[in-house]
Amino acid sequence: MGLTLTEKILKAHLVDGEMVKGQEIGIRIDQTLTQDATGTMAYLEFEAMGVPRVRTERSVAYIDHNTLQNGFENADDHRFIGSVAKKHGIYFSRPGNGICHQVHLERFGIPGKTLIGSDSHTPTGGGIGMIAIGAGGLDVAVAMGGGAYYITCPKVVKVELKGKLSPWVAAKDVILEVLKRMSVKGGVGKVIEYCGEGVKTLSVPERATITNMGAELGATTSIFPSDEITKEFLKAQKREEVWTELSADPDAVYDEELTIDLSTLEPMAACPHSPDNVKSVKEIGRIKIDQVCIGSCTNSSLMDMLKVAHILKGRTVHPDVSLAIAPGSKQVLNMLAENGALSIMIDAGARILESACGPCIGMGQSPNSKGISLRTFNRNFEGRSGTKDGQIYLVSPEVAAASAIAGVFSDPRDLGDMPEFKLPEVFKINDNMIVPPAAEADMDSVEILRGPNIKPFPETSPLDDSIDAGVSLKVGDNITTDHIMPAGAKILPLRSNIPAISQHCFTICDEHFPARAKEMGKSIIVGGSNYGQGSSREHAALAPLYLGIKAVLVKSFARIHRANLINAGILPLTFVNEADYDTIDQGDELVLENVRNDIENGVSELTVKNKTKGNDIKVLCELSGRTRDIILAGGLLDYTRESMK
Ligand code: MIC
Ligand code: SF4
């Protein structure tokens, strides 16, 4: 029986377990990446493990998220990360060099290699045939130390692409179509593998847009084959030598199949407030808009920017619209400057931002109240833009630019003929903003620079014999990590200070939650399905840990968040009967008797006694041998320290 591309790469990296779908496997990690909003914590964790030099083939630390410096905190974090990188063997991409996923694709990604990153959009690397997975900071720290990365051996979904995109229809529309069909939880436990004739019609940046936003499916990752087009891209990046041809076997067997005829797609948008709330631009109609933001790791490549410049040429941004553009990397920005496209954008009235995440993570450019904002980004969760009642639509750069000019939602196909946009034969290569690490012999002389906002990892303790705790919060379905641990310009500077950031935990849902949880001492959170979707931020587990959360009981979890809870030593529980969710209220007193003993003995079905209501609820705590030991130890850091003794 033939293998899928996913299986081939996973098999070649397997170090623990067996390739049985649904079972836990450990894979060797070739490359890691971090960004600054998750990086400080990841490097504190790496330091705590006491490994002197990273043991990966390549580890890169990027600064791209917390680039608004309206206080010393972010700048201190950047300095800390720079010094840790230098000492421990990590390449350091300085602020201004670009968004981690865009730069990694350009300068470091290698077909067939494994990459984990402390950012959920790490699957961007799947655009050149990598198995690239988003993970919590602790998992990345362990991988940097040479440890395996553990995932559930995934199911593989074949997405067969047929035909060719029509003019002005974009890669973004392909992933929006997949989201429309599969939903934000349809990818959990799966890798999405693209194949078919249509693949050849898509450039690497287009493929990367698709794999990037595959994160919104909840998928483990997404991947394209590595072919002649991948080779051309790597050649243009002067990295042809790292190319290898990779594809699935012709007789590979997939768990699910989906076919998309590219020629039938039309411009689409994900409407507020979920990436799977997809409608066609025609269906939405010519509604008036207030803001357009172009950029983010999904749509900030040179190709995207050239299309935008073409649409803006000789025109002016509509008087009622603010247009912001953040090219994805220094390479992109510099090439736009050299070929005149930047000048076209400036002429049209675009507000040019630095090459960073910027508005995508609420670092500036929040829309006006109730403002309708069209963004080429990947997430439109409520409040993420910084404006609570902002109405965010996710669109392609083509729809964004056409609408910025018209002042209303616009179908770019109305612009007339589309010229052919070609990738350059050679990109402008200048890695002067990537600082290599110090030589091993010199590492002792590198001083680690810590700022006063950098506080240690919160205290953990081994799992208690029994848990007797109240429900401090009950929430509904599809709770995102942006609900649990909001980001934005005010809160992001606290990423390296868990006591301070925990004061903002869940405040989008209930502003009294942090105080209540702290007062209760220990407590339990109850939630619906797809709990913890979205980002990889482990702060969404570390802040609850600090606030005394012992267990989270939900209908189902998103993958990375569940792993982060386990890594923080918090019990992840799911209802056996989802209807039991309705029987629990906030404030109820729940008891898990002899839970430690049960977990030690591998019991996965546990009983929760609701002392307030007087009923028993069956819950599942499905743990592998390794995750069981992590929970018993009080989290991954304690487990790793113990196993290194
Ligand atoms: C995001 O897009 O939500 C982020 C900000 O990039 C996060 C990481 C973080 O919260 O630092 C992600 O996607 O993992
Ligand atoms: Fe940055 Fe936005 Fe991409 Fe997250 S999704 S890495 S915030 S650009």
Side-chain angles (χ1 to χ4, degrees), residues 55-115:
R55 298 190 179 134
T56 47
E57 291 173 14
R58 177 75 88 220
S59 286
V60 190
Y62 293 90
I63 305 293
D64 54 359
H65 279 63
N66 294 351
T67 53
L68 260 191
Q69 291 159 221
N70 54 353
F72 63 90
E73 294 88 348
N74 291 341
D76 278 6
D77 283 353
H78 300 170
R79 218 174 44 145
F80 167 72
I81 295 172
S83 63
V84 169
K86 193 164 192 179
K87 191 177 188 87
H88 297 292
I90 301 150
Y91 284 74
F92 179 62
S93 174
R94 294 167 59 186
N97 197 45
I99 306 174
C100 54
H101 309 303
Q102 174 68 24
V103 178
H104 207 86
L105 192 75
E106 291 168 356
R107 308 303 306 141
F108 295 109
I110 300 179
K113 297 280 182 188
T114 52
L115 161 72

Short mmCIF file of all heavy atoms in Angstrom, two decimals, residues 55-115:
data_model
loop_
_atom_site.label_atom_id
_atom_site.label_comp_id
_atom_site.label_asym_id
_atom_site.label_seq_id
_atom_site.Cartn_x
_atom_site.Cartn_y
_atom_site.Cartn_z
N ARG A 55 19.83 21.51 19.86
CA ARG A 55 20.27 20.27 19.21
C ARG A 55 19.52 20.03 17.89
O ARG A 55 19.49 18.93 17.38
CB ARG A 55 20.05 19.10 20.15
CG ARG A 55 20.90 19.26 21.42
CD ARG A 55 20.90 18.01 22.28
NE ARG A 55 21.73 18.23 23.45
CZ ARG A 55 21.37 17.90 24.68
NH1 ARG A 55 20.20 17.33 24.90
NH2 ARG A 55 22.19 18.13 25.69
N THR A 56 18.90 21.06 17.37
CA THR A 56 18.19 20.95 16.09
C THR A 56 19.17 21.28 14.95
O THR A 56 20.27 21.76 15.18
CB THR A 56 17.07 21.99 16.04
OG1 THR A 56 17.63 23.24 16.48
CG2 THR A 56 15.91 21.61 16.91
N GLU A 57 18.71 21.06 13.71
CA GLU A 57 19.54 21.46 12.56
C GLU A 57 19.51 22.98 12.41
O GLU A 57 20.48 23.60 12.01
CB GLU A 57 19.00 20.81 11.28
CG GLU A 57 19.23 19.32 11.26
CD GLU A 57 18.55 18.63 10.08
OE1 GLU A 57 18.13 19.31 9.13
OE2 GLU A 57 18.45 17.39 10.12
N ARG A 58 18.36 23.57 12.71
CA ARG A 58 18.24 25.03 12.60
C ARG A 58 17.13 25.52 13.52
O ARG A 58 16.02 25.02 13.47
CB ARG A 58 17.88 25.40 11.16
CG ARG A 58 17.67 26.87 10.92
CD ARG A 58 18.95 27.66 10.91
NE ARG A 58 19.55 27.72 9.59
CZ ARG A 58 20.86 27.62 9.35
NH1 ARG A 58 21.69 27.45 10.34
NH2 ARG A 58 21.32 27.71 8.12
N SER A 59 17.47 26.48 14.38
CA SER A 59 16.45 27.11 15.22
C SER A 59 16.54 28.61 15.00
O SER A 59 17.63 29.17 14.97
CB SER A 59 16.68 26.78 16.70
OG SER A 59 16.29 25.45 16.95
N VAL A 60 15.39 29.24 14.83
CA VAL A 60 15.38 30.67 14.54
C VAL A 60 14.41 31.38 15.49
O VAL A 60 13.30 30.89 15.72
CB VAL A 60 14.95 30.95 13.07
CG1 VAL A 60 15.18 32.41 12.71
CG2 VAL A 60 15.67 30.04 12.08
N ALA A 61 14.85 32.50 16.02
CA ALA A 61 14.01 33.33 16.89
C ALA A 61 13.65 34.60 16.13
O ALA A 61 14.54 35.34 15.69
CB ALA A 61 14.77 33.69 18.16
N TYR A 62 12.35 34.82 15.95
CA TYR A 62 11.91 36.00 15.18
C TYR A 62 11.32 37.04 16.12
O TYR A 62 10.69 36.70 17.13
CB TYR A 62 10.82 35.59 14.18
CG TYR A 62 11.32 34.70 13.08
CD1 TYR A 62 11.30 33.31 13.23
CD2 TYR A 62 11.82 35.23 11.91
CE1 TYR A 62 11.78 32.49 12.22
CE2 TYR A 62 12.29 34.40 10.89
CZ TYR A 62 12.26 33.03 11.06
OH TYR A 62 12.73 32.22 10.05
N ILE A 63 11.46 38.29 15.73
CA ILE A 63 10.79 39.38 16.42
C ILE A 63 9.82 40.00 15.41
O ILE A 63 10.25 40.60 14.41
CB ILE A 63 11.79 40.47 16.90
CG1 ILE A 63 12.91 39.86 17.76
CG2 ILE A 63 11.05 41.58 17.65
CD1 ILE A 63 12.50 39.29 19.09
N ASP A 64 8.54 39.81 15.64
CA ASP A 64 7.57 40.29 14.66
C ASP A 64 6.22 40.68 15.26
O ASP A 64 5.47 41.43 14.66
CB ASP A 64 7.34 39.22 13.56
CG ASP A 64 6.94 37.86 14.15
OD1 ASP A 64 6.87 37.75 15.38
OD2 ASP A 64 6.72 36.92 13.38
N HIS A 65 5.92 40.20 16.45
CA HIS A 65 4.60 40.45 17.03
C HIS A 65 4.54 41.75 17.84
O HIS A 65 3.73 42.63 17.56
CB HIS A 65 4.19 39.30 17.95
CG HIS A 65 3.64 38.11 17.23
ND1 HIS A 65 4.37 37.37 16.34
CD2 HIS A 65 2.43 37.51 17.29
CE1 HIS A 65 3.62 36.38 15.88
NE2 HIS A 65 2.44 36.44 16.43
N ASN A 66 5.40 41.81 18.86
CA ASN A 66 5.30 42.92 19.83
C ASN A 66 6.19 44.08 19.42
O ASN A 66 7.13 44.45 20.13
CB ASN A 66 5.67 42.42 21.23
CG ASN A 66 4.68 41.41 21.74
OD1 ASN A 66 3.63 41.20 21.14
ND2 ASN A 66 5.00 40.78 22.85
N THR A 67 5.90 44.64 18.26
CA THR A 67 6.81 45.66 17.75
C THR A 67 6.38 47.08 18.07
O THR A 67 7.11 48.01 17.78
CB THR A 67 7.00 45.48 16.22
OG1 THR A 67 5.71 45.46 15.62
CG2 THR A 67 7.72 44.20 15.91
N LEU A 68 5.19 47.24 18.66
CA LEU A 68 4.82 48.58 19.16
C LEU A 68 5.50 48.72 20.50
O LEU A 68 5.24 47.94 21.41
CB LEU A 68 3.31 48.66 19.39
CG LEU A 68 2.42 49.34 18.37
CD1 LEU A 68 1.03 49.52 18.94
CD2 LEU A 68 2.97 50.65 17.89
N GLN A 69 6.34 49.68 20.66
CA GLN A 69 7.10 49.77 21.90
C GLN A 69 6.69 51.03 22.67
O GLN A 69 7.40 52.02 22.68
CB GLN A 69 8.59 49.73 21.57
CG GLN A 69 9.00 48.37 21.07
CD GLN A 69 10.26 48.34 20.26
OE1 GLN A 69 10.36 47.66 19.25
NE2 GLN A 69 11.24 49.12 20.70
N ASN A 70 5.52 50.93 23.31
CA ASN A 70 5.07 52.11 24.07
C ASN A 70 5.38 51.96 25.55
O ASN A 70 4.66 52.41 26.41
CB ASN A 70 3.57 52.38 23.84
CG ASN A 70 2.72 51.17 24.12
OD1 ASN A 70 3.26 50.10 24.37
ND2 ASN A 70 1.42 51.33 24.12
N GLY A 71 6.46 51.30 25.82
CA GLY A 71 6.97 51.06 27.17
C GLY A 71 8.21 50.22 26.98
O GLY A 71 8.50 49.79 25.87
N PHE A 72 8.92 49.96 28.06
CA PHE A 72 10.19 49.24 27.94
C PHE A 72 10.01 47.73 27.72
O PHE A 72 10.92 47.03 27.30
CB PHE A 72 11.01 49.46 29.23
CG PHE A 72 10.32 48.90 30.45
CD1 PHE A 72 10.56 47.60 30.84
CD2 PHE A 72 9.41 49.66 31.18
CE1 PHE A 72 9.90 47.06 31.94
CE2 PHE A 72 8.75 49.12 32.28
CZ PHE A 72 8.99 47.82 32.65
N GLU A 73 8.80 47.21 28.01
CA GLU A 73 8.63 45.75 28.12
C GLU A 73 8.99 45.00 26.83
O GLU A 73 9.76 44.03 26.87
CB GLU A 73 7.19 45.39 28.53
CG GLU A 73 6.78 45.84 29.91
CD GLU A 73 6.22 47.26 29.92
OE1 GLU A 73 6.36 47.97 28.90
OE2 GLU A 73 5.66 47.66 30.95
N ASN A 74 8.40 45.43 25.72
CA ASN A 74 8.66 44.69 24.48
C ASN A 74 10.13 44.77 24.08
O ASN A 74 10.73 43.78 23.66
CB ASN A 74 7.78 45.21 23.34
CG ASN A 74 6.31 44.87 23.57
OD1 ASN A 74 6.00 43.98 24.34
ND2 ASN A 74 5.42 45.59 22.91
N ALA A 75 10.69 45.97 24.23
CA ALA A 75 12.10 46.14 23.86
C ALA A 75 12.99 45.26 24.74
O ALA A 75 13.97 44.67 24.26
CB ALA A 75 12.48 47.61 23.98
N ASP A 76 12.63 45.16 26.02
CA ASP A 76 13.41 44.29 26.92
C ASP A 76 13.33 42.83 26.47
O ASP A 76 14.31 42.10 26.49
CB ASP A 76 12.87 44.39 28.36
CG ASP A 76 13.43 45.62 29.08
OD1 ASP A 76 14.12 46.42 28.43
OD2 ASP A 76 13.15 45.76 30.29
N ASP A 77 12.10 42.42 26.08
CA ASP A 77 11.93 41.04 25.62
C ASP A 77 12.78 40.77 24.37
O ASP A 77 13.41 39.72 24.25
CB ASP A 77 10.45 40.75 25.29
CG ASP A 77 9.61 40.53 26.54
OD1 ASP A 77 10.19 40.48 27.64
OD2 ASP A 77 8.38 40.42 26.42
N HIS A 78 12.78 41.74 23.46
CA HIS A 78 13.57 41.56 22.23
C HIS A 78 15.05 41.36 22.57
O HIS A 78 15.74 40.51 22.01
CB HIS A 78 13.42 42.78 21.30
CG HIS A 78 12.00 43.02 20.87
ND1 HIS A 78 11.62 44.17 20.20
CD2 HIS A 78 10.87 42.29 21.01
CE1 HIS A 78 10.31 44.11 19.95
NE2 HIS A 78 9.85 42.98 20.44
N ARG A 79 15.51 42.19 23.51
CA ARG A 79 16.93 42.13 23.92
C ARG A 79 17.23 40.78 24.58
O ARG A 79 18.25 40.15 24.33
CB ARG A 79 17.17 43.26 24.91
CG ARG A 79 18.49 43.95 24.78
CD ARG A 79 18.54 45.13 25.71
NE ARG A 79 18.00 44.79 27.04
CZ ARG A 79 18.46 45.28 28.16
NH1 ARG A 79 19.45 46.14 28.15
NH2 ARG A 79 17.92 44.96 29.33
N PHE A 80 16.31 40.34 25.42
CA PHE A 80 16.49 39.05 26.10
C PHE A 80 16.58 37.92 25.06
O PHE A 80 17.50 37.10 25.09
CB PHE A 80 15.31 38.81 27.05
CG PHE A 80 15.21 37.40 27.57
CD1 PHE A 80 16.13 36.92 28.50
CD2 PHE A 80 14.22 36.53 27.12
CE1 PHE A 80 16.04 35.60 28.98
CE2 PHE A 80 14.13 35.22 27.58
CZ PHE A 80 15.05 34.75 28.52
N ILE A 81 15.61 37.93 24.13
CA ILE A 81 15.59 36.86 23.12
C ILE A 81 16.86 36.89 22.27
O ILE A 81 17.47 35.85 22.00
CB ILE A 81 14.32 36.95 22.23
CG1 ILE A 81 13.07 36.70 23.09
CG2 ILE A 81 14.38 35.97 21.07
CD1 ILE A 81 11.74 36.95 22.37
N GLY A 82 17.29 38.10 21.91
CA GLY A 82 18.52 38.23 21.12
C GLY A 82 19.72 37.63 21.85
O GLY A 82 20.55 36.92 21.24
N SER A 83 19.80 37.88 23.15
CA SER A 83 20.96 37.38 23.90
C SER A 83 20.89 35.87 24.11
O SER A 83 21.89 35.17 23.98
CB SER A 83 21.12 38.14 25.23
OG SER A 83 20.01 37.92 26.07
N VAL A 84 19.69 35.37 24.38
CA VAL A 84 19.55 33.91 24.55
C VAL A 84 19.91 33.20 23.24
O VAL A 84 20.59 32.18 23.23
CB VAL A 84 18.09 33.54 24.94
CG1 VAL A 84 17.88 32.04 24.86
CG2 VAL A 84 17.76 34.02 26.32
N ALA A 85 19.43 33.79 22.14
CA ALA A 85 19.67 33.19 20.83
C ALA A 85 21.18 33.09 20.58
O ALA A 85 21.70 32.05 20.19
CB ALA A 85 18.98 34.01 19.74
N LYS A 86 21.84 34.19 20.84
CA LYS A 86 23.28 34.24 20.58
C LYS A 86 24.02 33.17 21.40
O LYS A 86 24.89 32.47 20.90
CB LYS A 86 23.78 35.64 20.97
CG LYS A 86 25.15 35.94 20.49
CD LYS A 86 25.41 37.42 20.56
CE LYS A 86 26.67 37.72 19.79
NZ LYS A 86 27.00 39.11 19.79
N LYS A 87 23.63 33.04 22.65
CA LYS A 87 24.33 32.12 23.54
C LYS A 87 24.06 30.65 23.18
O LYS A 87 24.97 29.83 23.17
CB LYS A 87 23.86 32.38 24.97
CG LYS A 87 24.70 31.69 26.04
CD LYS A 87 24.20 32.07 27.42
CE LYS A 87 25.11 31.58 28.51
NZ LYS A 87 26.20 32.49 28.83
N HIS A 88 22.81 30.35 22.89
CA HIS A 88 22.43 28.94 22.82
C HIS A 88 22.35 28.35 21.40
O HIS A 88 21.83 27.26 21.21
CB HIS A 88 21.09 28.73 23.54
CG HIS A 88 21.17 29.04 25.00
ND1 HIS A 88 21.90 28.27 25.88
CD2 HIS A 88 20.65 30.05 25.74
CE1 HIS A 88 21.80 28.78 27.10
NE2 HIS A 88 21.05 29.87 27.05
N GLY A 89 22.84 29.10 20.41
CA GLY A 89 22.94 28.49 19.07
C GLY A 89 21.75 28.73 18.16
O GLY A 89 21.48 27.93 17.27
N ILE A 90 21.05 29.84 18.38
CA ILE A 90 19.82 30.11 17.63
C ILE A 90 20.02 31.34 16.73
O ILE A 90 20.60 32.34 17.18
CB ILE A 90 18.66 30.37 18.64
CG1 ILE A 90 18.48 29.13 19.53
CG2 ILE A 90 17.38 30.76 17.93
CD1 ILE A 90 17.97 29.40 20.91
N TYR A 91 19.53 31.27 15.51
CA TYR A 91 19.59 32.43 14.62
C TYR A 91 18.54 33.45 15.07
O TYR A 91 17.44 33.07 15.47
CB TYR A 91 19.37 32.00 13.16
CG TYR A 91 20.61 31.34 12.60
CD1 TYR A 91 20.96 30.05 12.99
CD2 TYR A 91 21.45 32.03 11.74
CE1 TYR A 91 22.13 29.45 12.52
CE2 TYR A 91 22.61 31.43 11.26
CZ TYR A 91 22.95 30.15 11.66
OH TYR A 91 24.10 29.58 11.19
N PHE A 92 18.86 34.72 14.97
CA PHE A 92 17.99 35.77 15.50
C PHE A 92 17.58 36.72 14.38
O PHE A 92 18.41 37.40 13.79
CB PHE A 92 18.75 36.53 16.60
CG PHE A 92 17.97 37.66 17.22
CD1 PHE A 92 16.78 37.41 17.90
CD2 PHE A 92 18.43 38.98 17.16
CE1 PHE A 92 16.05 38.45 18.49
CE2 PHE A 92 17.71 40.02 17.75
CZ PHE A 92 16.52 39.74 18.41
N SER A 93 16.28 36.72 14.08
CA SER A 93 15.76 37.60 13.03
C SER A 93 15.29 38.89 13.70
O SER A 93 14.33 38.89 14.46
CB SER A 93 14.62 36.89 12.30
OG SER A 93 14.01 37.76 11.39
N ARG A 94 16.00 39.96 13.44
CA ARG A 94 15.78 41.21 14.16
C ARG A 94 14.45 41.86 13.80
O ARG A 94 13.91 41.62 12.72
CB ARG A 94 16.94 42.18 13.85
CG ARG A 94 18.25 41.68 14.38
CD ARG A 94 19.43 42.46 13.81
NE ARG A 94 19.34 43.88 14.11
CZ ARG A 94 20.20 44.77 13.62
NH1 ARG A 94 21.18 44.40 12.81
NH2 ARG A 94 20.05 46.05 13.93
N PRO A 95 13.94 42.72 14.72
CA PRO A 95 12.71 43.42 14.38
C PRO A 95 12.90 44.21 13.09
O PRO A 95 13.94 44.86 12.91
CB PRO A 95 12.49 44.35 15.59
CG PRO A 95 13.68 44.24 16.47
CD PRO A 95 14.45 43.04 16.06
N GLY A 96 11.93 44.14 12.21
CA GLY A 96 12.06 44.83 10.91
C GLY A 96 12.34 43.83 9.80
O GLY A 96 12.14 44.11 8.63
N ASN A 97 12.82 42.64 10.19
CA ASN A 97 13.16 41.66 9.15
C ASN A 97 11.93 40.93 8.61
O ASN A 97 11.98 40.34 7.55
CB ASN A 97 14.16 40.65 9.69
CG ASN A 97 14.85 39.88 8.57
OD1 ASN A 97 15.27 40.48 7.58
ND2 ASN A 97 14.91 38.58 8.68
N GLY A 98 10.83 40.96 9.37
CA GLY A 98 9.62 40.40 8.80
C GLY A 98 8.90 39.41 9.69
O GLY A 98 9.36 39.07 10.79
N ILE A 99 7.76 38.95 9.19
CA ILE A 99 6.91 38.01 9.93
C ILE A 99 7.53 36.62 9.85
O ILE A 99 7.94 36.17 8.78
CB ILE A 99 5.48 37.99 9.33
CG1 ILE A 99 4.89 39.41 9.27
CG2 ILE A 99 4.58 37.06 10.12
CD1 ILE A 99 3.55 39.50 8.57
N CYS A 100 7.57 35.96 11.00
CA CYS A 100 8.31 34.68 11.10
C CYS A 100 8.00 33.73 9.94
O CYS A 100 8.91 33.19 9.30
CB CYS A 100 8.05 34.03 12.45
SG CYS A 100 6.32 33.78 12.90
N HIS A 101 6.72 33.51 9.66
CA HIS A 101 6.38 32.47 8.67
C HIS A 101 6.81 32.86 7.26
O HIS A 101 7.25 32.02 6.48
CB HIS A 101 4.88 32.18 8.72
CG HIS A 101 4.41 31.90 10.11
ND1 HIS A 101 4.96 30.91 10.88
CD2 HIS A 101 3.49 32.52 10.90
CE1 HIS A 101 4.37 30.91 12.07
NE2 HIS A 101 3.49 31.89 12.11
N GLN A 102 6.68 34.15 6.94
CA GLN A 102 7.09 34.63 5.62
C GLN A 102 8.61 34.48 5.48
O GLN A 102 9.11 33.95 4.48
CB GLN A 102 6.64 36.09 5.45
CG GLN A 102 7.10 36.78 4.19
CD GLN A 102 6.47 36.21 2.92
OE1 GLN A 102 5.40 35.63 2.95
NE2 GLN A 102 7.18 36.35 1.81
N VAL A 103 9.34 34.93 6.50
CA VAL A 103 10.81 34.88 6.41
C VAL A 103 11.30 33.44 6.42
O VAL A 103 12.22 33.06 5.69
CB VAL A 103 11.46 35.69 7.57
CG1 VAL A 103 12.98 35.60 7.49
CG2 VAL A 103 11.01 37.15 7.53
N HIS A 104 10.66 32.60 7.24
CA HIS A 104 11.12 31.22 7.32
C HIS A 104 10.96 30.50 5.98
O HIS A 104 11.83 29.75 5.56
CB HIS A 104 10.38 30.47 8.44
CG HIS A 104 11.20 29.34 9.00
ND1 HIS A 104 12.14 29.51 10.00
CD2 HIS A 104 11.27 28.03 8.65
CE1 HIS A 104 12.73 28.35 10.25
NE2 HIS A 104 12.21 27.44 9.45
N LEU A 105 9.85 30.79 5.32
CA LEU A 105 9.61 30.20 4.00
C LEU A 105 10.68 30.66 3.01
O LEU A 105 11.23 29.87 2.25
CB LEU A 105 8.22 30.64 3.51
CG LEU A 105 7.64 29.93 2.31
CD1 LEU A 105 7.16 28.54 2.71
CD2 LEU A 105 6.47 30.71 1.71
N GLU A 106 10.96 31.96 3.06
CA GLU A 106 11.93 32.52 2.12
C GLU A 106 13.34 31.98 2.38
O GLU A 106 14.02 31.57 1.46
CB GLU A 106 12.00 34.05 2.28
CG GLU A 106 10.76 34.80 1.82
CD GLU A 106 10.76 36.28 2.27
OE1 GLU A 106 11.69 36.70 3.00
OE2 GLU A 106 9.82 37.00 1.89
N ARG A 107 13.77 32.01 3.65
CA ARG A 107 15.18 31.84 3.93
C ARG A 107 15.60 30.52 4.58
O ARG A 107 16.77 30.15 4.53
CB ARG A 107 15.69 33.01 4.81
CG ARG A 107 15.37 34.39 4.28
CD ARG A 107 15.90 34.64 2.86
NE ARG A 107 17.31 34.39 2.72
CZ ARG A 107 17.85 33.81 1.63
NH1 ARG A 107 17.11 33.44 0.61
NH2 ARG A 107 19.15 33.61 1.58
N PHE A 108 14.67 29.80 5.23
CA PHE A 108 15.10 28.63 6.00
C PHE A 108 14.38 27.32 5.71
O PHE A 108 14.92 26.25 5.96
CB PHE A 108 14.97 28.91 7.50
CG PHE A 108 15.87 30.00 8.00
CD1 PHE A 108 15.37 31.24 8.39
CD2 PHE A 108 17.24 29.79 8.08
CE1 PHE A 108 16.20 32.24 8.84
CE2 PHE A 108 18.09 30.79 8.55
CZ PHE A 108 17.56 32.02 8.92
N GLY A 109 13.15 27.38 5.24
CA GLY A 109 12.36 26.16 5.09
C GLY A 109 12.99 25.19 4.09
O GLY A 109 13.60 25.62 3.11
N ILE A 110 12.85 23.90 4.36
CA ILE A 110 13.43 22.87 3.49
C ILE A 110 12.41 21.75 3.28
O ILE A 110 11.91 21.19 4.25
CB ILE A 110 14.74 22.29 4.11
CG1 ILE A 110 15.78 23.39 4.31
CG2 ILE A 110 15.29 21.15 3.26
CD1 ILE A 110 17.08 22.93 4.94
N PRO A 111 12.10 21.41 2.02
CA PRO A 111 11.14 20.33 1.77
C PRO A 111 11.54 19.04 2.48
O PRO A 111 12.73 18.69 2.53
CB PRO A 111 11.21 20.15 0.25
CG PRO A 111 11.73 21.45 -0.29
CD PRO A 111 12.62 22.01 0.77
N GLY A 112 10.55 18.38 3.05
CA GLY A 112 10.81 17.08 3.68
C GLY A 112 11.26 17.15 5.13
O GLY A 112 11.36 16.13 5.81
N LYS A 113 11.58 18.35 5.60
CA LYS A 113 12.03 18.49 7.00
C LYS A 113 10.84 18.71 7.92
O LYS A 113 9.76 19.12 7.47
CB LYS A 113 12.98 19.69 7.12
CG LYS A 113 14.25 19.56 6.33
CD LYS A 113 15.26 18.70 7.03
CE LYS A 113 16.57 18.62 6.25
NZ LYS A 113 17.51 17.64 6.81
N THR A 114 11.07 18.50 9.21
CA THR A 114 10.04 18.80 10.21
C THR A 114 10.39 20.13 10.89
O THR A 114 11.55 20.42 11.16
CB THR A 114 9.94 17.71 11.28
OG1 THR A 114 11.25 17.48 11.81
CG2 THR A 114 9.38 16.42 10.72
N LEU A 115 9.34 20.91 11.14
CA LEU A 115 9.50 22.21 11.80
C LEU A 115 8.41 22.33 12.84
O LEU A 115 7.25 22.04 12.54
CB LEU A 115 9.34 23.32 10.74
CG LEU A 115 9.02 24.74 11.22
CD1 LEU A 115 10.25 25.37 11.89
CD2 LEU A 115 8.59 25.64 10.05
#
